[in-house]
Amino acid sequence: MQEFKKEVSFVEKNKIAIKKKNMFIVNYIKDVFNGVKSLVVGLRRTMYYFSHHKEIITEQYPDNRDTLVLPDRFKGEVILVHDENNEHACTGCTACELACPNATIKIITKFDISPEGKKKKAIDKFVYHLELCTMCNLCIVACPTDAIKMAQTFEHSVYNRAELTKVLNKQGSKIREGVE
Amino acid sequence: MLSFSNISKSIDTWLNATFNSTWTMLFEMVIAGVGVISLFAILGLVLVLMERRVAAWIQIRLGPNRVGPGGMLQSLADTVKLLVKEGMTPDGADKFLFNLAPFIAIIVAMLLMAPIAFAKNFQLWDMNIGVLYVTAISSIMVISILMAGWASNNKYSLMGAMRSGAQIVSYELSAGLSILAIVVLSGSLNLNDIIQSQADGWWIFKGHIPVIIAFIIFIIAVTAETNRAPFDLAEAESELTAGFHTEYSGMKFALFFLAEYINVFIVCAIGATLFLGGWMPFHIGNWESFNHIMDYIPSSMWFFSKTFFLIFLIMWFRWTFPRLRIDQLLNLEWKYLLPISMFNLLLVTAMAILGWHF
Ligand code: SF4
Ligand code: SF4
């Protein structure tokens, strides 16, 4: 019985092999046909683009500078948000400085004397090295008071590298009332 | 009527009347040489601009749009830039071969211009083995590429050159076989005779499906032979930096660049001559009046519009298909194109003997 089974399977295998051999030429033609078909699909797509060249997707940048619309998530540089009273929300906690992987931010703190005579920590200078920033957004996430955010400006080129080191808090600005 | 053949004939008679035959010969050679060189320059400018524009439109961009009206002078500016650049020779290079290679490339392209019929009765050299001449000369191209790759003393260059050698040598077979299909049908190796044989319809219409297959194979094979994408393994910017011309700069690079475009023009001109009737206007059998109307369009217009149509086809391929690997490339040639074109040649021969074409 065992022997017989073996015999059968052998015959079966042979049949499959013969079938495969006959299939070869069919497969060959199929290959050629499918290849040509897929190429034609590609050619049709590019011909469509070629003949519809008015629907360009690129921005004509320096020409459309005034009407340029950037996507919301575009990250250009870190700024410290100031309101109309020249007040910001930065407490000088240095969480952003610690979060930054590139040591881009340096917070220099000072002590303000409040009217009641109490000492209070505040920022003296928020130093930001644009040339080191990778726009990774980690500082923004780290800030507990949402004092900083990403601006959409991107024309950052200057002739002198020193100009890239910026102080973000404006002259005479102070912390907004009520922000702890 | 003002046509290329009339102009050349009047120049010839004038020279013959003014000088003796030796001087006439010499002057005509000089005129032909200057003509070919200026044609090269114009073709280079036009084709580079065309390529960039086609690429841009296919990729939904605008393309060059700064220099001149609509960017028309972009390639002229590029040429000036290349001209004033220093042509450096690397220290470890084989100086003689390194400097010789680009000139061989351009000389091959020049030689290939000889048998092409640009218009009715307008041809540099009407030889009776035109087709054979073209296939023979075009294979010298590979020598300049190998020379450049070897002399650069750079592994990328050498690798690019070797690939290109394998590629050109193998694709020449199917290009030759598909050209033979037309030679069999028209019964002549002379390009003029082949054009004349298409006076009652171009071969691509007269020859039914076998000639269309031969045409497709021809286009694939010449795309490979001119080292253009999807068969640009010889340069393969992303893997071999620039292949055989990595080390070339300035005018020497420009010569390679020019030779590539000239070669594209030439193979397309050959393709147009063999399959689309060269300068022969669009004729249908014996519709006398229709054929007569078609004859009013100058023959040079027909030739150039057909050639540029084929050039556009090849550019379209370049910006559509991804590059093949070297093994896929050789598979395509030896397992698909070669058997198909051999079988096809058999069919065409049977067709020619039995007179099944129109
Ligand atoms: S965006 Fe990233 S790199 Fe730039 S300052 Fe913030 S944390 Fe540092
Ligand atoms: S910007 Fe935010 S995180 Fe950075 S020091 Fe000011 S309050 Fe702290």
Side-chain angles (χ1 to χ4, degrees):
Chain A
M1 197 60 201
Q2 206 74 6
E3 285 290 298
F4 180 69
K5 248 186 184 169
K6 252 188 195 164
E7 197 79 342
V8 165
S9 73
F10 182 72
V11 168
E12 209 82 320
K13 260 185 200 158
N14 248 357
K15 263 186 190 164
I16 291 171
I18 289 166
K19 224 178 183 181
K20 261 189 189 155
K21 224 176 216 169
N22 289 340
M23 286 297 283
F24 168 74
I25 196 78
V26 177
N27 280 338
Y28 181 85
I29 292 169
K30 243 187 212 163
D31 265 3
V32 173
F33 184 75
N34 284 338
V36 171
K37 208 175 106 184
S38 72
L39 292 182
V40 169
V41 168
L43 285 175
R44 268 184 48 196
R45 184 81 274 195
T46 45
M47 189 28 105
Y48 174 82
Y49 286 148
F50 182 80
S51 50
H52 293 69
H53 56 83
K54 285 274 134 58
E55 308 172 4
I56 48 162
I57 53 166
T58 42
E59 296 281 353
Q60 302 309 307
Y61 161 55
D63 298 341
N64 71 351
R65 201 200 225 122
D66 304 328
T67 55
L68 195 63
V69 184
L70 289 167
D72 281 344
R73 53 182 214 177
F74 177 78
K75 304 204 273 289
E77 69 173 320
V78 175
I79 54 164
L80 188 62
V81 189
H82 289 73
D83 60 12
E84 61 277 12
N85 304 326
N86 205 11
E87 288 176 339
H88 55 73
C90 175
T91 57
C93 71
T94 69
C96 52
E97 184 179 339
L98 295 172
C100 181
N102 307 320
T104 307
I105 297 173
K106 183 87 193 113
I107 309 280
I108 300 170
T109 50
K110 62 176 180 194
F111 285 99
D112 273 348
I113 313 289
S114 63
E116 299 97 68
K118 264 201 281 183
K119 266 193 177 174
K120 197 178 167 222
K121 198 171 159 196
I123 55 165
D124 182 22
K125 272 181 184 163
F126 187 114
V127 184
Y128 170 60
H129 295 272
L130 179 56
E131 77 270 31
L132 298 179
C133 183
T134 55
M135 317 297 167
C136 69
N137 211 32
L138 288 176
C139 52
I140 315 289
V141 177
C143 178
T145 54
D146 288 337
I148 43 178
K149 71 168 198 182
M150 279 290 181
Q152 301 216 315
T153 47
F154 59 92
E155 290 164 333
H156 292 314
S157 21
V158 286
Y159 285 104
N160 184 355
R161 185 163 172 249
E163 285 171 51
L164 290 172
T165 303
K166 298 177 177 178
V167 176
L168 294 189
N169 54 328
K170 285 186 192 156
Q171 195 75 46
S173 66
K174 59 178 197 293
I175 185 163
R176 197 175 302 135
E177 279 304 312
V179 178
E180 288 297 325
Chain B
M1 209 173 92
L2 198 67
S3 73
F4 280 117
S5 62
N6 288 353
I7 294 170
S8 61
K9 212 169 277 164
S10 58
I11 290 176
D12 182 54
T13 37
W14 181 77
L15 281 174
N16 265 323
T18 341
F19 304 101
N20 62 27
S21 60
T22 326
W23 280 108
T24 309
M25 189 72 173
L26 265 177
F27 276 129
E28 280 175 357
M29 277 178 175
V30 170
I31 291 172
V34 171
V36 167
I37 290 173
S38 40
L39 182 66
F40 270 29
I42 294 167
L43 275 181
L45 296 179
V46 170
L47 288 181
V48 171
L49 190 72
M50 177 175 165
E51 170 108 76
R52 293 184 62 174
R53 188 68 77 195
V54 168
W57 284 358
I58 281 180
Q59 298 170 345
I60 340 184
R61 297 183 282 117
L62 277 186
N65 61 351
R66 293 286 150 196
V67 190
M72 297 291 275
L73 301 178
Q74 180 66 52
S75 44
L76 200 66
D78 287 346
T79 314
V80 172
K81 182 199 77 178
L82 283 171
L83 274 173
V84 298
K85 266 192 171 175
E86 183 189 359
M88 279 188 291
T89 309
D91 261 347
D94 183 331
K95 301 249 163 18
F96 178 66
L97 290 186
F98 186 84
N99 291 318
L100 185 65
F103 291 99
I104 292 196
I106 210 81
I107 286 170
V108 168
M110 259 183 182
L111 285 176
L112 282 173
M113 280 282 175
I116 293 175
F118 293 98
K120 202 171 183 175
N121 301 325
F122 187 70
Q123 202 175 6
L124 284 177
W125 185 12
D126 182 16
M127 68 186 101
N128 54 4
I129 51 159
V131 176
L132 184 66
Y133 174 86
V134 167
T135 43
I137 296 289
S138 66
S139 47
I140 297 179
M141 191 64 199
V142 69
I143 292 180
S144 89
I145 291 179
L146 278 174
M147 204 184 259
W150 175 256
S152 298
N153 196 17
N154 173 329
K155 61 184 168 190
Y156 294 127
S157 303
L158 186 58
M159 221 142 45
M162 296 317 266
R163 284 183 182 185
S164 159
Q167 180 179 330
I168 294 184
V169 167
S170 41
Y171 276 80
E172 232 155 44
L173 283 171
S174 41
L177 283 175
S178 51
I179 289 176
L180 273 188
I182 298 301
V183 174
V184 165
L185 282 174
S186 58
S188 169
L189 284 170
N190 185 328
L191 284 175
N192 252 338
D193 286 356
I194 290 177
I195 294 171
Q196 286 303 340
S197 72
Q198 306 183 61
D200 55 346
W202 306 342
W203 278 122
I204 195 151
F205 299 127
K206 283 200 300 181
H208 311 294
I209 292 169
V211 172
I212 293 176
I213 293 174
F215 177 68
I216 293 170
I217 290 173
F218 177 80
I219 289 288
I220 296 173
V222 298
T223 313
E225 263 195 78
T226 47
N227 280 325
R228 286 177 61 84
F231 306 103
D232 61 342
L233 294 131
E235 327 189 346
E237 295 98 339
S238 47
E239 359 174 337
L240 296 181
T241 57
F244 64 91
H245 56 60
T246 307
E247 299 289 351
Y248 284 88
S249 57
M251 214 45 217
K252 280 180 256 170
F253 166 76
L255 284 184
F256 270 125
F257 200 62
L258 188 64
E260 181 190 327
Y261 280 100
I262 302 295
N263 277 331
V264 170
F265 174 81
I266 289 166
V267 294
C268 288
I270 300 288
T273 307
L274 294 178
F275 295 94
L276 304 178
W279 50 258
M280 189 58 78
F282 184 69
H283 284 172
I284 299 178
N286 34 23
W287 294 12
E288 290 302 333
S289 48
F290 178 81
N291 295 350
H292 205 66
I293 292 168
M294 282 296 167
D295 285 341
Y296 274 110
I297 302 173
S299 55
S300 52
M301 282 284 286
W302 280 105
F303 172 77
F304 280 105
S305 51
K306 284 173 203 173
T307 308
F308 272 86
F309 168 71
L310 290 186
I311 293 174
F312 171 72
L313 216 62
I314 283 183
M315 286 182 181
W316 186 15
F317 290 164
R318 171 168 182 181
W319 298 105
T320 304
F321 303 142
R323 186 187 306 131
L324 273 74
R325 261 195 338 255
I326 184 81
D327 59 320
Q328 292 168 333
L329 179 92
L330 295 180
N331 257 351
L332 175 67
E333 164 64 17
W334 295 99
K335 285 197 186 156
Y336 293 94
L337 291 188
L338 193 61
I340 292 176
S341 53
M342 276 175 158
F343 181 70
N344 196 45
L345 184 61
L346 216 64
L347 264 181
V348 171
T349 317
M351 225 169 72
I353 292 171
L354 299 173
W356 279 348
H357 58 87
F358 299 117

